[in-house]
Amino acid sequence: MSERSLIVLQRLTAMVLAPCVIAHVAVIAIAFRDGLTAGEILGRVQDNVGWAAFYALFVIAAAVHAPIGLRSVLVEWGALPRRMVDIVMAAFAVLLLITGLRAVFAVVWGAP
Amino acid sequence: MTDTIPVRVWRGGDAGAFQTFDVALRDNQTVLDIVTDIQRRQDPTLSYRFACRVGVCGSCAMTVNGVPRWTCRTHVAKVAAEGVLTLEPLRNLPRLKDLAVDMTPFFDKWQKAGGTFEGRKTRDDAVDPVKPGSRARKAADAAIECINCAVCYAACDVVDWDPDYLGPAALNRVWTLVNDRRHARRSDTLDKAAQSGGCGSCHSQGACMRHCPVGLSPTESIAGLKRALLFSLLGGRL
């Protein structure tokens, strides 16, 4: 993928992540004010397609955004050659995507 | 008796050491005056670079008490509050001798960044008018007065960390070109700005903007390049 695409993707995903993070933190703050248990939370989100869609989008945006930023940090502060950093970061993106989507699926529809 | 100030000057290349000179203080004295005084009165072998002495040519930049500055427009009274001056060559560039650095990597990156104008008209065509009040021209105006002094390049931590980073000055130049409606290869220029080590590497820390002696904001120019890349999506160029 070209550098130009990476810059654009990082910016686009940032635009997705900003409202996602705000909604995520706001929901946590509101939900826990009444002292919800894990069971109550699961009861609310299970089979909730809207919740699943929101967090799936969140996971996809984070899986694209984070490795691009981390890549810059590794190029500047790490000892790995650029090519190796790209490979490691591509693997990191896949790892974030799989574990993140698996978690969303497991919460909404039960462990696969 | 004239007051003097101790001036610690870097001598040698990478392997060198500070040498201290006592220099007579004068009214309205600049840091460049100090260096010239040392060379003329105390040690003619001292190497440094200057030309215009009035803040136009951009050749006299050095590190003054740890901060990159244009020395011809820097008054001693303003930077030597502790009563000591420490002069070193600019950071992030190969040291040649004493206060002179090799500017080659800096200017090579200007070339690599693709800051070369290419017109689409010939001498037989009518002049393409550029409206001074247009948004693009205003953006170019805000960035155009760069004197190539490399102060921003020395101030930038990303240049220090990533030797491939093109640096604030080269990308600032590219931003002026992207905003030049007469430029024929805007998309190619944006491509080059986005290359590995291009505008995507900037963290917007703003050291360039803080230290630019002529008050430019390469940070803003680079942010503009990133924005232009995003908007170029609309033209289907990803």
Side-chain angles (χ1 to χ4, degrees), chain B residues 5-233:
Chain B
I5 183 171
V7 183
R8 299 170 68 234
V9 181
W10 183 261
R11 302 304 304 270
D14 285 329
F18 284 104
Q19 182 180 359
T20 303
F21 299 90
D22 280 315
V23 181
L25 281 171
R26 293 185 171 82
D27 287 341
N28 301 317
Q29 194 173 23
T30 66
V31 174
L32 184 63
D33 291 337
I34 290 267
V35 180
T36 303
D37 196 299
I38 293 171
Q39 196 201 47
R40 287 189 182 170
R41 295 170 198 268
Q42 301 193 42
D43 188 347
T45 67
L46 178 66
S47 299
Y48 65 106
R49 198 181 276 128
F50 77 99
C52 77
R53 299 177 295 160
V54 289
V56 175
C57 74
S59 55
C60 69
M62 300 169 199
T63 307
V64 182
N65 285 357
V67 177
R69 295 182 183 278
W70 54 352
T71 56
C72 69
R73 298 286 296 271
T74 301
H75 281 247
V76 175
K78 287 193 178 163
V79 292
E82 307 284 321
V84 181
L85 266 185
T86 299
L87 305 180
E88 297 165 81
L90 282 180
R91 192 171 73 127
N92 295 338
L93 288 161
R95 294 178 172 195
L96 288 175
K97 176 177 176 286
D98 304 341
L99 299 170
V101 291
D102 181 3
M103 298 286 281
T104 311
F106 176 71
F107 288 114
D108 280 351
K109 285 181 182 178
W110 277 61
Q111 298 295 328
K112 196 178 171 202
T116 311
F117 174 78
E118 198 173 311
R120 59 170 75 83
K121 298 202 170 193
T122 70
R123 63 178 63 197
D124 301 320
D125 296 317
V127 173
D128 198 359
V130 177
K131 287 185 181 162
S134 68
R135 198 167 154 183
R137 181 60 219 180
K138 281 181 176 171
D141 269 348
I144 202 86
E145 297 290 350
C146 174
I147 58 171
N148 316 351
C149 64
V151 161
C152 59
Y153 192 83
C156 179
D157 281 339
V158 182
V159 173
D160 183 29
W161 296 326
D162 180 4
D164 290 336
Y165 179 45
L166 296 171
L171 291 168
N172 182 71
R173 161 62 191 157
V174 170
W175 176 237
T176 63
L177 199 58
V178 164
N179 282 293
D180 189 340
R181 66 189 298 271
R182 302 165 306 158
H183 182 47
R185 301 171 69 87
R186 186 175 187 275
S187 188
D188 290 347
T189 303
L190 272 178
D191 262 339
K192 281 192 178 171
Q195 66 182 282
S196 177
C199 63
S201 298
C202 171
H203 297 314
S204 310
Q205 290 175 320
C208 52
M209 177 177 67
R210 184 183 169 89
H211 295 290
C212 175
V214 290
L216 304 184
S217 175
T219 311
E220 202 175 325
S221 298
I222 296 167
L225 284 172
K226 291 177 184 172
R227 207 166 47 240
L229 282 168
L230 188 60
F231 288 146
S232 72
L233 250 187

Side-chain angles (χ1 to χ4, degrees), chain A residues 3-77:
Chain A
E3 291 290 327
R4 187 169 177 163
S5 309
L6 290 175
I7 292 170
V8 170
L9 276 176
Q10 195 182 26
R11 296 217 128 199
L12 287 176
T13 51
M15 290 176 199
V16 175
L17 282 174
C20 284
V21 169
I22 291 168
H24 177 66
V25 173
V27 169
I28 288 174
I30 293 164
F32 275 84
R33 207 166 44 178
D34 298 333
L36 278 178
T37 63
E40 284 170 325
I41 293 171
L42 282 175
R44 290 182 186 186
V45 300
Q46 265 169 359
D47 295 323
N48 186 331
V49 177
W51 191 93
F54 174 81
Y55 275 96
L57 181 69
F58 199 161
V59 164
I60 292 167
V64 173
H65 186 90
I68 299 174
L70 199 55
R71 173 175 172 265
S72 295
V73 175
L74 287 179
V75 165
E76 287 159 17
W77 289 5

